[in-house]
Amino acid sequence: MKEEALEYHRSGKPGKLSVEICKPADTQKDLSLAYSPGVAFPVQEIMADPERAYEYTIKGNLVAVVTNGTATLGLGKTGALASKPVMEGKALLFKRFSNIDSFDIEVDETDVDRFVEIIRKISPTFGGINLEDIAAPACFEIERRLIEALDIPVFHDDQHGTAIISVAGLLNALEIQEKSLADAKIVCVGAGAAGIAILNLLLESGAQKENILLLDSKGVIHSQREDLNQYKRPFAVETDKRTLADAMQGADVFLGLSVGDLLSDEMVLSMAEKPVILAMANPYPEILPEQAHALRGDIVMGTGRSDYPNQVNNVLGFPYIFRAALDCRAKVINTEMKLACVEALRALAKEPVTETVLKAYGLAELSFGKDYILPKPTDPRLLEKLPPAIIQAAKDSGAA
């Protein structure tokens, strides 16, 4: 796999992206229209009305994929340069799934003030900003300040993309297990960007805070702890449970955003009847599906991996969220738009699976159930179904 991946990235033209010309540039007249003197006319139009940048430039279909490499895709603090293959990959996914053009921008800066100012100053180039692989808690502050400063959508996918897909999958899994979100006892391990965003979106969807136990590297986040930052503190609860083993007793849901091989057999066996486990640590989940299913037959199980059923994959969300936001010129991506994406994903998973999708995965049949709680990433209906639903929510909420 290592050699194949390295060869994939270095063969032919190195990397995964290229820039293409989309207008004629063959004749003298073409060049005079593209640059001097013809280019002066759209410049003057934009000076008179900045909104015309969307008419005369690529801005309306261009997203910046921005990172500082402080929390790179399961690899930790790689630094800006080493994170570039991941950001190029994200830009590839934007183009592949929603025909959005992207520039990957790796910023060698960890100071929040300076990072925010750099992105603010380059923002006129873009129609949207996708923040990526920025460590918590800085990522919360960076996103908040950029949303306040800019009039284009800013979206930290590690937070909200993960939350949208996880919540959609969890709601469908709970439906299959004949359980309600309001009553579900939820254990979430991982109090970083993704974990906190998932819990916040679950609360918006009807989960009850008193039913949630959040754990970080020091154990259960409870009301007696004095080492909690402003993002963890809202999830501190009155409880005598301190360890993961304590928390798992009687739990209906396990959400894993931590490290591989974290769940023991005893922890899984101690969960309530018909539990849901979304073990999303990558590349090694908190427990492997074959291990969990061998322990008990009543589990609905998902991971972040493509080689198991029920992959929780952000590519089900961000291309279509940005497609919608760009098309309706949303200034922000708000909670209503996120929830609309959740519901559209849930609904699509319940529709008959097309022959195209079955062939792509070498399957004879597939239908809504324990091994299919989310649509497959190659389903072309994602582009048909999700953006219109998100756009409608943007209109209804005043974001468009």
Side-chain angles (χ1 to χ4, degrees):
M1 181 66 177
K2 177 182 178 180
E3 285 306 314
E4 287 180 353
L6 292 174
E7 181 61 21
Y8 173 89
H9 283 80
R10 71 184 165 219
S11 63
K13 184 184 292 186
K16 297 187 286 280
L17 303 174
S18 65
V19 176
E20 298 177 356
I21 297 171
C22 64
K23 295 287 168 45
D26 300 317
T27 67
Q28 181 180 0
K29 183 176 181 179
D30 292 339
L31 297 177
S32 68
L33 293 173
Y35 199 57
S36 182
V39 76
F41 299 109
V43 169
Q44 292 167 339
E45 292 291 309
I46 294 168
M47 289 174 64
D49 180 3
E51 289 293 302
R52 291 183 179 174
Y54 289 91
E55 182 178 353
Y56 295 118
T57 77
I58 194 177
K59 179 180 175 76
N61 196 53
L62 186 62
V63 168
V65 178
V66 181
T67 192
N68 60 6
T70 52
T72 303
L73 193 64
L75 298 171
K77 189 175 181 179
T78 64
L81 179 59
S83 72
K84 186 171 176 61
V86 181
M87 299 310 113
E88 286 188 3
K90 196 65 177 277
L92 178 151
L93 296 175
F94 267 117
K95 190 67 176 178
R96 162 67 176 81
F97 290 103
S98 58
N99 198 30
I100 291 173
D101 297 313
S102 301
F103 291 157
D104 63 292
I105 298 176
E106 294 76 31
V107 182
D108 188 13
E109 182 58 73
T110 58
D111 179 81
V112 169
D113 292 336
R114 290 196 291 265
F115 186 90
V116 168
E117 187 63 7
I118 289 167
I119 305 309
R120 189 186 69 78
K121 286 184 176 181
I122 67 171
S123 65
T125 305
F126 303 98
I129 306 289
N130 182 97
L131 299 172
E132 193 77 15
D133 291 356
I134 301 171
C139 62
F140 301 115
E141 181 71 6
I142 287 169
E143 185 190 46
R144 182 187 65 78
R145 288 169 58 177
L146 286 173
I147 288 172
E148 291 174 356
L150 303 182
D151 63 352
I152 57 175
V154 177
F155 186 82
H156 185 204
D157 189 48
D158 300 296
Q159 290 184 61
H160 310 298
T162 305
I164 288 164
I165 313 309
S166 301
V167 171
L170 176 55
L171 289 173
N172 274 352
L174 287 172
E175 181 178 331
I176 291 163
Q177 298 289 60
E178 299 178 324
K179 294 188 176 187
S180 72
L181 179 61
D183 295 330
K185 295 180 180 179
I186 299 168
V187 175
C188 178
V189 180
I196 288 173
I198 290 172
L199 295 184
N200 282 326
L201 197 60
L202 282 173
L203 291 173
E204 293 284 352
S205 302
Q208 302 302 303
K209 187 169 287 188
E210 60 267 25
N211 290 337
I212 295 172
L213 289 176
L214 175 62
L215 291 88
D216 61 11
S217 60
K218 297 179 181 179
V220 173
I221 292 176
H222 58 83
S223 56
Q224 304 305 309
R225 284 181 55 176
E226 298 180 354
D227 60 342
L228 304 176
N229 63 35
Q230 61 180 311
Y231 306 105
K232 297 180 184 181
R233 199 171 300 119
F235 295 98
V237 295
E238 290 281 351
T239 180
D240 59 359
K241 297 186 176 185
R242 295 294 183 262
T243 67
L244 178 57
D246 296 338
M248 290 293 284
Q249 293 177 17
D252 297 292
V253 174
F254 171 81
L255 301 172
L257 302 121
S258 51
V259 295
D261 300 323
L262 188 70
L263 286 185
S264 68
D265 292 359
E266 291 75 18
M267 292 176 188
V268 174
L269 291 170
S270 74
M271 296 181 76
E273 291 184 2
K274 301 172 73 172
V276 178
I277 295 177
L278 298 184
M280 296 175 281
N282 257 324
Y284 304 109
E286 287 81 1
I287 188 169
L288 288 169
E290 55 265 36
Q291 180 183 349
H293 290 306
L295 291 169
R296 49 193 300 176
D298 61 345
I299 296 174
V300 173
M301 173 94 195
T303 71
R305 288 173 49 155
S306 61
D307 53 345
Y308 291 106
N310 299 328
Q311 183 188 20
V312 180
N313 190 338
N314 283 24
V315 80
L316 293 172
F318 70 84
Y320 313 105
I321 294 163
F322 269 98
R323 181 72 280 157
L326 293 174
D327 288 351
C328 72
R329 300 273 290 282
K331 303 296 185 184
V332 296
I333 296 170
N334 60 23
T335 299
E336 291 85 351
M337 295 163 72
K338 297 170 194 173
L339 291 175
C341 188
V342 167
E343 291 306 316
L345 282 168
R346 290 190 66 197
L348 182 53
K350 297 172 186 177
E351 293 189 12
V353 179
T354 65
E355 193 66 27
T356 301
V357 174
L358 292 175
K359 286 183 178 179
Y361 289 87
L363 299 171
E365 59 179 343
L366 189 64
S367 61
F368 182 65
K370 286 189 174 184
D371 289 331
Y372 183 63
I373 60 174
L374 287 165
K376 295 293 189 182
T378 58
D379 194 327
R381 296 172 298 177
L382 289 161
L383 190 57
E384 300 169 10
K385 303 284 188 178
L386 269 60
I390 299 165
I391 288 170
Q392 187 62 51
K395 291 178 179 178
D396 293 344
S397 63

